[in-house]
Amino acid sequence: AAAATGIHGTWRNARRAELAQRQAETQAARAAGEAATAQAVGDVLGALFTAADPYASNRRDLTAREVLLDAVQQLQARSGLAPAVRLRLANRIAAALDQIGELGAARPLLEACAGADGDAAGRALVLSYLAELQRADGHFDAAREHSRMAVALARAAGSEGRLALVTALRVQASTEAWDHRYEPAVEGLREALPIALGLGPEQGSLGVQVQADLGHFLIYLEQFDEADRHLAEAAARAASQPARWRALAHHVALSQLYLLTRQRRYADALALSERLLPEGDRLHGADSSNGVQLRQLRARALVGLGRHADAVAAYRAVEAILQRQQAPIARRLENGWFIALTELDGRRY
């Protein structure tokens, strides 16, 4: 019996050693594959951006947008890239284009990679970008389906898919909010927030964005106290990096301004709007969509304070911006409706 026990113990230890060896070999192979992919991605990115060198092209006025658009064309023309490398490159370029509002330019790359082989987290990011484009086109059902697949892939990736999961949940929430379904939007962001805040300082801005979105969508559900708490925390986080996150801090402040108008705290809203105007115009320009939103919220605060003539003037300034933008007729009609209501309300006093 003792001999049998000893033999069993020896076999068990040998089995454990064998499993540990296999696990170590698997991890080493994965690390080697990741290193090779990262090296290939770096090499291709270097080649893409070297080709856009302003000195080589004899163009000193070359913009980041033009460099990225050129990279899209070059990458589409390249053959022989490993699927994992092409997937990683498509996500890198799409992320950069998304930051400057040009995600649509990456659509051909993303569509080509949607069914390609590659790691689950990378495929989840591709599907999330495609969902974002479909949402912007008003194709909510298609966006939801891509987001659903992206969330499933990111979950399957485990700890390596945390960034992809946060991205997928955020895009999914935005789709629901655009379709005026705020409950599921809030539910998704509540799941995403602790994951986003745990990603580390290199992804710190993503945590701010998720918390700001959560606070904003809670306003539509009239859960004002929770919205105020999340927006205050997001504002504090954004303020911790004033040089890097000025635009992000301004975005959070706009949501705080909207909250004040919904709470009918019009004096506070007017004070905040007038503090934000100079900064917003420097960051985005008076004629930007950001500038329009800020001016409309300021006008709403003026109405709430009974300053109807000033409010009409503010709305007419917005009307002029919309005309210069050649904005869609629906937006111009909406602003005209605000003017008419404000003038009518003013005649009552």
Side-chain angles (χ1 to χ4, degrees):
T5 301
I7 292 171
H8 179 71
T10 301
W11 176 85
R12 185 173 56 192
N13 289 337
R15 180 62 176 161
R16 285 177 178 170
E18 181 184 356
L19 290 174
Q21 178 67 23
R22 287 182 183 177
Q23 185 178 20
E25 290 173 354
T26 300
Q27 290 175 344
R30 184 183 296 126
E34 173 60 27
T37 299
Q39 180 65 49
V41 168
D43 291 346
V44 176
L45 279 176
L48 292 177
F49 293 128
T50 298
D53 187 337
Y55 291 95
S57 63
N58 198 31
R59 283 203 45 205
R60 305 297 187 267
D61 61 342
L62 200 64
T63 66
R65 176 181 178 275
E66 291 171 314
V67 169
L68 289 167
L69 294 180
D70 184 65
V72 170
Q73 293 180 347
Q74 289 189 63
L75 186 56
Q76 285 180 270
R78 276 181 175 254
S79 59
L81 287 177
V85 174
R86 186 175 293 277
L87 182 70
R88 189 80 58 88
L89 286 165
N91 279 326
R92 292 275 187 89
I93 293 171
L97 286 166
D98 195 23
Q99 289 294 316
I100 61 172
E102 294 280 357
L103 181 59
R107 190 190 293 266
L109 289 180
L110 296 168
E111 289 177 341
C113 290
D117 293 333
D119 64 281
R123 289 159 56 205
L125 285 172
V126 164
L127 290 170
S128 290
Y129 286 129
L130 286 172
E132 193 171 340
L133 290 170
Q134 289 161 339
R135 179 202 69 206
D137 292 340
H139 302 148
F140 297 136
D141 289 340
R144 284 191 184 97
E145 179 59 18
H146 275 80
S147 287
R148 184 193 63 77
M149 292 189 292
V151 169
L153 281 169
R155 292 194 200 284
S159 60
E160 295 179 358
R162 292 187 304 156
L163 174 60
L165 179 57
V166 171
T167 302
L169 288 169
R170 187 173 180 233
V171 172
Q172 188 177 58
S174 296
T175 299
E176 300 296 357
W178 275 42
D179 203 21
H180 307 290
R181 300 178 71 241
Y182 298 108
E183 290 88 352
V186 164
E187 181 182 352
L189 290 176
R190 281 183 172 143
E191 179 185 353
L193 182 58
I195 305 170
L197 294 178
L199 288 175
E202 68 279 2
Q203 296 293 341
S205 64
L206 183 58
V208 178
Q209 291 166 12
V210 170
Q211 192 159 31
D213 288 348
L214 175 56
H216 193 83
F217 297 156
L218 283 165
I219 298 172
Y220 292 104
L221 296 177
E222 298 188 351
Q223 297 181 24
F224 297 145
D225 290 343
E226 188 180 358
D228 188 35
R229 176 173 63 81
H230 282 298
L231 291 173
E233 290 178 8
R237 289 191 171 95
S240 70
Q241 300 279 350
R244 293 174 54 202
W245 295 348
R246 285 174 59 204
L248 182 54
H250 187 80
H251 169 73
V252 176
L254 267 180
S255 290
Q256 290 178 305
L257 175 57
Y258 178 57
L259 174 60
L260 290 172
T261 61
R262 289 292 303 272
Q263 292 175 310
R264 300 185 180 183
R265 295 169 55 188
Y266 297 120
D268 292 336
L270 181 61
L272 178 57
S273 68
E274 293 185 343
R275 190 166 75 249
L276 292 176
L277 271 171
E279 177 78 0
D281 289 353
R282 281 194 299 271
L283 286 169
H284 306 289
D287 284 8
S288 66
S289 58
N290 182 287
V292 168
Q293 183 183 8
L294 177 52
R295 282 163 172 79
Q296 285 182 327
L297 288 171
R298 178 177 176 273
R300 191 175 303 176
L302 288 166
V303 172
L305 293 171
R307 294 172 54 179
H308 297 90
D310 291 336
V312 168
Y315 279 129
R316 292 205 182 280
V318 171
E319 183 180 38
I321 293 173
L322 294 175
Q323 287 176 348
R324 288 196 294 273
Q325 289 179 340
Q326 296 184 328
I329 188 64
R331 293 198 65 193
R332 295 167 66 179
L333 286 173
E334 178 189 50
N335 192 72
W337 178 245
F338 290 152
I339 292 172
L341 286 178
T342 303
E343 288 179 331
L344 180 62
D345 195 37
R347 293 194 187 105
R348 296 174 183 170
Y349 297 92

